[in-house]
Amino acid sequence: MSLTRRGYAVGGICLLAFALGTLFGARALNAVVVPGLVALVVGRVVMYRTTPPTVTRSQPSPGFPEETRTVSLSIEAEQASSATVRERASEGLSVPAEAIETGLPGRVEYDCRLEARGERTLGPALLTLTDALGLFEREFRAARRTGVLVYPPVRPLSDRARLTLLTGEDPLVDDRGEFDSLREYVPGDPLRNVDWKASAKREELVVSEFAAREEKDGISIVAEAAPGRADAMATAAASVALWLLDAGVGIDLATPSGQLSNVSPGEGEEVLALLARAGGGRVGNARRNAADVLVRAETDGSAITTSEKTIPFGRLVRSGSRPGDVSIGAPRAEARSGPDGEGRAATDGGFEGEL
């Protein structure tokens, strides 16, 4: 507990008036001294008896980097009439540095900017309570924190990813599958499919037919990262996983920090939540060897491995997209979620104590 600037001013005026009254006998100055002293005494007693306030912080919804969430703090306190709030946040979140004032009971709102992937926290908030006359103030610190989940950035993938991810083939490689049969040439057939030797023997154009590639009903993905490359791994794995889910393909996903099985289309939020918390490292050899798609983020970049072919992740990304762009099918929340869209609230019912 301490005096405010107004409290120091009132105390100074009382001392000056008392000194002038003692020196010059101006008893009329008692009309200044007595009310001032009464106000100081009452203000101190009120703030001393003030109990820790109850603070309810809204729960921000998960989101992607560069998005903003509107967070509210509802404050209730006995005795005190006003409060100054200073919110604090962990690395990866950005909140206003300036203090916010409100009457009590009251509600304040501020914008929280999501900066980096991971499980981040808001709080504890610092509250400075003031008595009705603004002479004394007392600080409290909220004991509880509120978690904020920041998803990894997701890159939109190009059409080339369809063959690469669903069949394990790179469409830029001349690999048309297994030979099936020969048939007569029909206008519109690709010239590269013409079998020139067979055509010379038959004295007519014939083309080769190849067995159709089979697309898989479910694909297992393993994601790994070298030290310091977990963010790149999460972005590549999220981009691939959400693309497959949007294509109607179920997936299994394993990371060094956890795994998901039988993820169905429409369940992309589970994938994003896992990858938001994923750290670097390696997955067991058995799981890695059984994977249909291996996502690896090394010091020289990220790569996707399918059917013994390794393709740089950048070659699968849609041309002209940005790191912050969200893939088709990614469950993107509104850029700003106010009190009506914040989900359940987290109550700071306890405090670590007075500062």
Side-chain angles (χ1 to χ4, degrees), residues 21-110:
T22 300
L23 293 175
F24 302 105
R27 297 182 180 274
L29 293 176
N30 290 337
V32 175
V33 175
V34 173
L37 291 177
V38 170
L40 289 172
V41 171
V42 171
R44 180 174 178 81
V45 171
V46 167
M47 294 309 298
Y48 177 79
R49 297 177 59 184
T50 297
T51 56
T54 299
V55 179
T56 303
R57 181 189 289 108
S58 61
Q59 176 66 58
S61 59
F64 296 91
E66 299 184 8
E67 290 186 348
T68 300
R69 296 290 181 266
T70 298
V71 183
S72 66
L73 288 169
S74 298
I75 308 168
E76 296 181 2
E78 300 179 358
Q79 306 296 333
S81 63
S82 64
T84 300
V85 182
R86 291 180 176 85
E87 183 65 289
R88 298 193 293 183
S90 67
E91 183 180 0
L93 299 177
S94 177
V95 297
E98 64 272 11
I100 307 173
E101 297 184 358
T102 181
L104 294 178
R107 176 190 178 95
V108 299
E109 292 184 346
Y110 64 89

Side-chain angles (χ1 to χ4, degrees), residues 280-341:
R282 304 298 181 193
V283 175
N285 291 333
R287 185 174 293 276
R288 183 192 306 111
N289 295 336
D292 297 308
V293 177
L294 175 61
V295 179
R296 300 189 67 171
E298 303 294 344
T299 55
D300 57 349
S302 301
I304 310 298
T305 299
T306 61
S307 300
E308 299 182 357
K309 296 180 182 294
T310 299
I311 303 174
F313 174 65
R315 288 168 58 184
L316 299 180
V317 174
R318 184 184 305 164
S319 177
S321 66
R322 300 181 301 108
D325 292 341
V326 179
S327 173
I328 298 173
R332 182 166 188 152
E334 294 295 329
R336 301 171 64 91
S337 58
D340 295 334

Side-chain angles (χ1 to χ4, degrees), residues 226-283:
R229 297 289 294 168
D231 288 343
M233 174 200 74
T235 292
S239 302
V240 169
L242 291 181
W243 194 96
L244 289 169
L245 291 174
D246 187 65
V249 180
I251 65 169
D252 295 335
L253 174 62
T255 73
S257 304
Q259 63 186 47
L260 292 172
S261 298
N262 301 319
V263 181
S264 301
E267 298 178 346
E269 289 186 2
E270 296 182 23
V271 173
L272 290 171
L274 174 65
L275 292 172
R277 301 182 175 95
R282 304 298 181 193
V283 175

Side-chain angles (χ1 to χ4, degrees), residues 138-155:
R138 188 176 176 184
E139 289 191 342
F140 293 91
R141 180 172 59 192
R144 295 185 182 177
R145 294 172 170 83
T146 301
V148 182
L149 195 61
V150 184
Y151 295 145
V154 179
R155 302 291 299 271

